Amino acid sequence: DQDLTARSQAPSVAHWLGTDDLGRDLLSRVIYGARTAFSIAIGVTVLSLAIGLVLGTVAGYAGGLVDRTIMWLCNVTMSVPALLLVIVINTTLRPFFGRWMNDLFETTGNPVFRDTSLIDLVLVFGSIALLKWPQYARLVRGQVLVVRNGNYVRAATALGLGPATVLRTTVIPNVLSPLIVAASFGLGTAMVLESAFSFLGVGIEPPIPSWGRMIADGMRSWSTSPHLLVVPALVLGIATVGFAFLGDGLNDALDPRRRR
């Protein structure tokens, strides 16, 4: 909530982390922004992980032309600058989604379709997932190339099991451990990407609080109200380091060579 009589206040008993230039409590906005950051981090990671798992498994197990085609697609996607790709996606798809939601509102009268923040979430989810799936696909492909030559895979094939059954029962379970570790690290990366895009104005737009947007707003008044910049930047750094520690812990727990 805005309180124009309490604009740009320093941390106090009433406002533990101070207020911004519109008198909004900074602690409340940081907590609310965590919901945005974690939702995007988890959603993007799950989506890109699913795409990478399917395409990486198919590429590693099928080989040949299928493998070369999927790896070519990975290389093309990874060669495109991330910021340029996100700008293109936002500028081309945002008007289309805006017109589509407006038509739905006029047809149904449902006020949900007047909420343009849904467009921001869809575009951010899609663009970041498009950037991240190749790294999972390449990881899965490398693991599948190793696993597919195992004796248990050959035994399952010799028993007459189809490729889909072999993949589901023997190949995919043996490539999940490194994939889970990579996904835990990817949570922090997705969070930083969302904050970076919001900071540059091509990500989450107001009124949805985003740590990246809060950092961008704090940059304008850092000399007079440094807490507006320091607080969201510090929270983003702590969350990113936390996911890094999570990935390191999962790596130790899932790697049998490191168990004591």
PDB file of all heavy atoms in Angstrom, residues 42-56:
ATOM      1  N   ILE A  42      11.193 -21.920  -9.954  1.00  0.00           N
ATOM      2  CA  ILE A  42      10.728 -23.311  -9.944  1.00  0.00           C
ATOM      3  C   ILE A  42      10.018 -23.658 -11.246  1.00  0.00           C
ATOM      4  O   ILE A  42      10.267 -24.711 -11.852  1.00  0.00           O
ATOM      5  CB  ILE A  42       9.806 -23.544  -8.733  1.00  0.00           C
ATOM      6  CG1 ILE A  42      10.589 -23.375  -7.433  1.00  0.00           C
ATOM      7  CG2 ILE A  42       9.176 -24.930  -8.802  1.00  0.00           C
ATOM      8  CD1 ILE A  42       9.736 -23.443  -6.186  1.00  0.00           C
ATOM      9  N   GLY A  43       9.129 -22.771 -11.700  1.00  0.00           N
ATOM     10  CA  GLY A  43       8.388 -23.055 -12.926  1.00  0.00           C
ATOM     11  C   GLY A  43       9.279 -23.170 -14.144  1.00  0.00           C
ATOM     12  O   GLY A  43       9.135 -24.094 -14.958  1.00  0.00           O
ATOM     13  N   VAL A  44      10.218 -22.228 -14.280  1.00  0.00           N
ATOM     14  CA  VAL A  44      11.124 -22.253 -15.431  1.00  0.00           C
ATOM     15  C   VAL A  44      12.014 -23.492 -15.380  1.00  0.00           C
ATOM     16  O   VAL A  44      12.260 -24.140 -16.410  1.00  0.00           O
ATOM     17  CB  VAL A  44      11.973 -20.970 -15.456  1.00  0.00           C
ATOM     18  CG1 VAL A  44      13.156 -21.114 -16.404  1.00  0.00           C
ATOM     19  CG2 VAL A  44      11.118 -19.784 -15.872  1.00  0.00           C
ATOM     20  N   THR A  45      12.517 -23.825 -14.202  1.00  0.00           N
ATOM     21  CA  THR A  45      13.392 -24.988 -14.082  1.00  0.00           C
ATOM     22  C   THR A  45      12.652 -26.277 -14.428  1.00  0.00           C
ATOM     23  O   THR A  45      13.184 -27.138 -15.142  1.00  0.00           O
ATOM     24  CB  THR A  45      13.962 -25.072 -12.655  1.00  0.00           C
ATOM     25  OG1 THR A  45      14.701 -23.877 -12.367  1.00  0.00           O
ATOM     26  CG2 THR A  45      14.889 -26.265 -12.519  1.00  0.00           C
ATOM     27  N   VAL A  46      11.424 -26.418 -13.939  1.00  0.00           N
ATOM     28  CA  VAL A  46      10.646 -27.623 -14.247  1.00  0.00           C
ATOM     29  C   VAL A  46      10.361 -27.718 -15.744  1.00  0.00           C
ATOM     30  O   VAL A  46      10.505 -28.788 -16.361  1.00  0.00           O
ATOM     31  CB  VAL A  46       9.333 -27.631 -13.440  1.00  0.00           C
ATOM     32  CG1 VAL A  46       8.410 -28.748 -13.918  1.00  0.00           C
ATOM     33  CG2 VAL A  46       9.620 -27.789 -11.960  1.00  0.00           C
ATOM     34  N   LEU A  47       9.977 -26.589 -16.354  1.00  0.00           N
ATOM     35  CA  LEU A  47       9.657 -26.596 -17.776  1.00  0.00           C
ATOM     36  C   LEU A  47      10.883 -26.904 -18.634  1.00  0.00           C
ATOM     37  O   LEU A  47      10.843 -27.775 -19.514  1.00  0.00           O
ATOM     38  CB  LEU A  47       9.051 -25.248 -18.176  1.00  0.00           C
ATOM     39  CG  LEU A  47       8.682 -25.083 -19.652  1.00  0.00           C
ATOM     40  CD1 LEU A  47       7.655 -26.133 -20.078  1.00  0.00           C
ATOM     41  CD2 LEU A  47       8.139 -23.669 -19.904  1.00  0.00           C
ATOM     42  N   SER A  48      11.977 -26.199 -18.384  1.00  0.00           N
ATOM     43  CA  SER A  48      13.192 -26.434 -19.167  1.00  0.00           C
ATOM     44  C   SER A  48      13.768 -27.818 -18.897  1.00  0.00           C
ATOM     45  O   SER A  48      14.329 -28.458 -19.792  1.00  0.00           O
ATOM     46  CB  SER A  48      14.231 -25.355 -18.852  1.00  0.00           C
ATOM     47  OG  SER A  48      14.519 -25.295 -17.464  1.00  0.00           O
ATOM     48  N   LEU A  49      13.621 -28.304 -17.658  1.00  0.00           N
ATOM     49  CA  LEU A  49      14.095 -29.645 -17.319  1.00  0.00           C
ATOM     50  C   LEU A  49      13.310 -30.706 -18.075  1.00  0.00           C
ATOM     51  O   LEU A  49      13.887 -31.689 -18.580  1.00  0.00           O
ATOM     52  CB  LEU A  49      13.977 -29.864 -15.813  1.00  0.00           C
ATOM     53  CG  LEU A  49      14.606 -31.123 -15.225  1.00  0.00           C
ATOM     54  CD1 LEU A  49      16.111 -31.085 -15.397  1.00  0.00           C
ATOM     55  CD2 LEU A  49      14.247 -31.251 -13.756  1.00  0.00           C
ATOM     56  N   ALA A  50      12.010 -30.533 -18.179  1.00  0.00           N
ATOM     57  CA  ALA A  50      11.191 -31.502 -18.909  1.00  0.00           C
ATOM     58  C   ALA A  50      11.563 -31.527 -20.389  1.00  0.00           C
ATOM     59  O   ALA A  50      11.702 -32.604 -20.993  1.00  0.00           O
ATOM     60  CB  ALA A  50       9.712 -31.165 -18.735  1.00  0.00           C
ATOM     61  N   ILE A  51      11.739 -30.345 -20.972  1.00  0.00           N
ATOM     62  CA  ILE A  51      12.119 -30.287 -22.389  1.00  0.00           C
ATOM     63  C   ILE A  51      13.492 -30.906 -22.599  1.00  0.00           C
ATOM     64  O   ILE A  51      13.708 -31.714 -23.518  1.00  0.00           O
ATOM     65  CB  ILE A  51      12.098 -28.829 -22.891  1.00  0.00           C
ATOM     66  CG1 ILE A  51      10.683 -28.246 -22.785  1.00  0.00           C
ATOM     67  CG2 ILE A  51      12.586 -28.750 -24.334  1.00  0.00           C
ATOM     68  CD1 ILE A  51      10.612 -26.766 -23.106  1.00  0.00           C
ATOM     69  N   GLY A  52      14.444 -30.534 -21.752  1.00  0.00           N
ATOM     70  CA  GLY A  52      15.789 -31.064 -21.892  1.00  0.00           C
ATOM     71  C   GLY A  52      15.863 -32.560 -21.665  1.00  0.00           C
ATOM     72  O   GLY A  52      16.620 -33.269 -22.342  1.00  0.00           O
ATOM     73  N   LEU A  53      15.061 -33.076 -20.725  1.00  0.00           N
ATOM     74  CA  LEU A  53      15.072 -34.515 -20.443  1.00  0.00           C
ATOM     75  C   LEU A  53      14.563 -35.300 -21.642  1.00  0.00           C
ATOM     76  O   LEU A  53      15.163 -36.316 -22.042  1.00  0.00           O
ATOM     77  CB  LEU A  53      14.224 -34.807 -19.205  1.00  0.00           C
ATOM     78  CG  LEU A  53      14.091 -36.280 -18.800  1.00  0.00           C
ATOM     79  CD1 LEU A  53      15.454 -36.877 -18.468  1.00  0.00           C
ATOM     80  CD2 LEU A  53      13.141 -36.422 -17.612  1.00  0.00           C
ATOM     81  N   VAL A  54      13.472 -34.844 -22.226  1.00  0.00           N
ATOM     82  CA  VAL A  54      12.901 -35.561 -23.370  1.00  0.00           C
ATOM     83  C   VAL A  54      13.838 -35.510 -24.572  1.00  0.00           C
ATOM     84  O   VAL A  54      14.188 -36.548 -25.164  1.00  0.00           O
ATOM     85  CB  VAL A  54      11.526 -34.977 -23.730  1.00  0.00           C
ATOM     86  CG1 VAL A  54      11.010 -35.593 -25.025  1.00  0.00           C
ATOM     87  CG2 VAL A  54      10.529 -35.212 -22.605  1.00  0.00           C
ATOM     88  N   LEU A  55      14.271 -34.308 -24.941  1.00  0.00           N
ATOM     89  CA  LEU A  55      15.105 -34.177 -26.137  1.00  0.00           C
ATOM     90  C   LEU A  55      16.488 -34.786 -25.931  1.00  0.00           C
ATOM     91  O   LEU A  55      17.034 -35.414 -26.846  1.00  0.00           O
ATOM     92  CB  LEU A  55      15.231 -32.700 -26.519  1.00  0.00           C
ATOM     93  CG  LEU A  55      13.934 -32.018 -26.969  1.00  0.00           C
ATOM     94  CD1 LEU A  55      14.200 -30.571 -27.360  1.00  0.00           C
ATOM     95  CD2 LEU A  55      13.297 -32.768 -28.128  1.00  0.00           C
ATOM     96  N   GLY A  56      17.069 -34.618 -24.741  1.00  0.00           N
ATOM     97  CA  GLY A  56      18.379 -35.201 -24.478  1.00  0.00           C
ATOM     98  C   GLY A  56      18.347 -36.711 -24.479  1.00  0.00           C
ATOM     99  O   GLY A  56      19.270 -37.365 -24.981  1.00  0.00           O
TER     100      GLY A  56
END
